[in-house]
């Protein structure tokens, strides 16, 4: 199977690297608008094959969409990342134009493609990709909740001195510092509820650190993170290509599920070779439902900017 990754920057290159190292796809095309950039990164990655022992092939191209023809999955990471002090929302104008054009080009050459949106503000970009492409809703998936959930598990793991892989914990809602909702009451360590193991103060600390997880890294690194975002995108691509049916929080188009409609918002979904296959209902408390409502309002306000 063939996967295209658009944007050979920090997140795109890391996504592609994860995909080829683990032989998730036979062929990866890395595309960037900057002359020679994707070619260079692809060659560098190809030269790790002898050392790491993978068979996947990767090629880099400069804005040549004919090379992407027949892709089963495309990951869109093109756009500008945020700088320290910026919110994801401030990227909207520039990234909306880029995402719209990229989606059109991808669909023209790969009409059956499943598209994973990474560019920020991700929920709005996912909504835009769906509306502008006219693709069936199941083939447009926003990556944000998978990353935020991994960061949530990291914070819980730090507090409990527990392995992140033993934790079950998800973040739903918008992919923004103030719109994400780490569901601490539902989080478990094996089968034990986290809320029974930690004080209210400790739980609150985990929630706060999770919500500013991306901003913390941006102020430390000077630009936004890429290792965990790239790993999260590659894990979702793997679930599609290998038809794994894994559960991720992903931004998908809602038509009444969780009480919201005409919006792309992070909810738990099963991901397989159809794209997102179905939304998993979770029993939310009144407080959690209220937070989701506020999160949806903020995302909707951002979507409105697209039509202003
Ligand atoms: P980056 O600046 O390292 O890479 C972006 C790349 O996109 C650049 O190489 C640029 O030349 C390319 N590009 C720009 N316009 C293009 C076009 N029209 N066609 C093809 N390529 C184009 O940025 P980075 O760090 O890789 O972040 C990429 C995006 O992903 C940003 O919008 C960032 O905010 C977002 N992001 C989203 C996350 C999520 O969880 N959804 C996590 C981390 C980043």
């Amino acid at each position: 199977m063939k996967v295209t990754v658009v944007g050979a920057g920090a997140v795109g290159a890391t996504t592609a690297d994860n995909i080829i190292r683990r032989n998730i796809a036979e062929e990866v095309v890395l595309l960037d608008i900057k002359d020679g950039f994707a070619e260079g990164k692809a060659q560098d990655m190809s030269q790790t094959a002898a050392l790491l022992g993978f068979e996947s092939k990767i090629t880099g191209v400069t804005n040549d969409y004919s090379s992407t023809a027949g892709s089963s999955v495309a990951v869109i990471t093109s756009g500008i990342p945020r700088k320290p002090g910026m919110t994801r929302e401030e990227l909207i104008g520039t990234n909306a134009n880029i995402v719209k054009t990229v989606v059109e080009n991808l669909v023209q050459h790969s009409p059956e493609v499943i598209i994973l949106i990474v560019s920020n503000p991700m929920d709005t970009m996912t909504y835009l990709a769906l509306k502008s492409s006219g693709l069936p809703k199941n083939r447009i998936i926003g990556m944000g909740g998978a990353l935020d959930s991994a960061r949530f598990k990291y914070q819980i793991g730090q507090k409990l001195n527990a392995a992140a892989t033993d934790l079950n914990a998800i973040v739903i809602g918008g992919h923004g510092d103030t719109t994400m909702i780490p569901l601490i009451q539902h989080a478990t360590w094996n089968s034990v509820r986290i809320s029974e193991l930690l004080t209210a103060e400790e739980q609150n600390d985990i929630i706060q650190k999770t919500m500013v997880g991306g901003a913390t890294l941006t102020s430390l690194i000077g630009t936004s993170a890429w290792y965990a975002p790239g790993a999260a995108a590659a894990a979702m691509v793997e679930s599609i290509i290998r038809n794994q049916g894994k559960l991720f929080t992903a931004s998908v188009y809602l038509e009444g599920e969780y009480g919201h409609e005409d919006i792309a918002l992070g909810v738990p979904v099963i991901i397989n070779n159809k794209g997102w296959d179905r939304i998993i209902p979770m029993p939310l408390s009144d407080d959690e439902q209220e937070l989701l409502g506020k999160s949806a309002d903020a995302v909707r306000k951002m979507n409105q900017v697209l039509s202003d």
Side-chain angles (χ1 to χ4, degrees):
M1 291 232 205
K2 182 167 171 180
V3 174
T4 290
V5 179
V6 180
V11 179
T14 310
T15 303
D17 193 33
N18 275 289
I19 294 171
I20 59 168
R21 274 170 192 246
R22 291 168 41 219
N23 288 310
I24 292 170
E26 282 127 40
E27 195 186 345
V28 174
V29 175
L30 188 60
L31 182 149
D32 202 283
I33 202 163
K34 243 189 286 174
D35 207 16
F37 191 58
E39 284 92 326
K41 291 242 178 158
Q43 271 187 35
D44 190 12
M45 280 182 232
S46 297
Q47 289 162 11
T48 67
L51 303 160
L52 301 174
F54 57 81
E55 288 87 40
S56 293
K57 300 277 176 258
I58 179 161
T59 48
V61 296
T62 303
N63 225 22
D64 169 20
Y65 281 87
S66 64
S67 308
T68 70
S71 292
S72 305
V73 185
V75 185
I76 301 183
T77 74
S78 47
I80 50 167
R82 56 184 176 153
K83 298 285 175 220
M86 276 175 95
T87 64
R88 294 175 178 93
E89 289 73 16
E90 286 174 76
L91 308 172
I92 190 165
T94 310
N95 287 357
N97 287 329
I98 294 174
V99 167
K100 200 161 170 279
T101 313
V102 168
V103 168
E104 276 165 19
N105 285 323
L106 285 170
V107 174
Q108 193 188 336
H109 292 87
S110 305
E112 299 305 318
V113 71
I114 294 170
I115 297 180
L116 203 61
I117 305 281
V118 177
S119 309
N120 273 318
M122 182 277 293
D123 299 288
T124 297
M125 294 302 125
T126 304
Y127 181 79
L128 171 70
L130 184 84
K131 294 287 175 180
S132 65
S133 68
L135 286 185
K137 61 179 181 174
N138 294 68
R139 283 169 42 202
I140 305 273
I141 311 170
M143 191 293 285
L147 169 65
D148 297 330
S149 300
R151 288 179 171 158
F152 187 30
K153 287 180 189 174
Y154 166 78
Q155 294 298 345
I156 298 170
Q158 291 288 101
K159 223 30 127 210
L160 290 173
N161 196 18
T165 45
D166 284 342
L167 297 167
N168 227 315
I170 66 165
V171 175
I172 62 167
H175 176 59
D177 296 358
T178 54
T179 57
M180 69 176 79
I181 308 160
L183 292 176
I184 196 103
Q185 294 304 321
H186 300 257
T188 57
W189 182 13
N190 292 318
S191 308
V192 186
R193 276 180 190 277
I194 301 298
S195 53
E196 285 165 19
L197 300 171
L198 297 171
T199 63
E201 199 180 320
E202 286 170 322
Q203 292 174 49
N204 199 35
D205 189 48
I206 288 171
I207 292 172
Q208 295 315 317
K209 284 187 173 145
T210 302
M211 293 177 77
V212 296
T216 304
L217 294 176
T218 303
S219 64
L220 287 170
I221 303 171
T223 185
S224 66
W226 56 86
Y227 291 113
M236 292 169 83
V237 170
E238 183 179 23
S239 199
I240 297 169
I241 300 260
R242 300 197 164 132
N243 196 21
Q244 289 173 323
K246 284 195 176 171
L247 183 83
F248 291 93
T249 302
S251 189
V252 301
Y253 189 68
L254 301 182
E255 292 176 303
E257 298 91 345
Y258 283 88
H260 296 282
E261 59 183 2
D262 195 31
I263 190 170
L265 200 61
V267 292
V269 294
I270 296 295
I271 293 189
N272 61 21
N273 63 4
K274 297 192 188 81
W276 66 267
D277 190 35
R278 59 190 189 277
I279 294 172
I280 303 302
M282 276 180 83
L284 298 183
S285 67
D286 290 347
D287 285 352
E288 289 162 345
Q289 196 67 52
E290 195 187 325
L291 285 173
L292 191 63
K294 286 188 180 149
S295 181
D297 289 345
V299 171
R300 219 171 249 124
K301 215 164 138 196
M302 186 58 50
N303 294 351
Q304 191 58 43
V305 177
L306 294 174
S307 48
D308 286 349

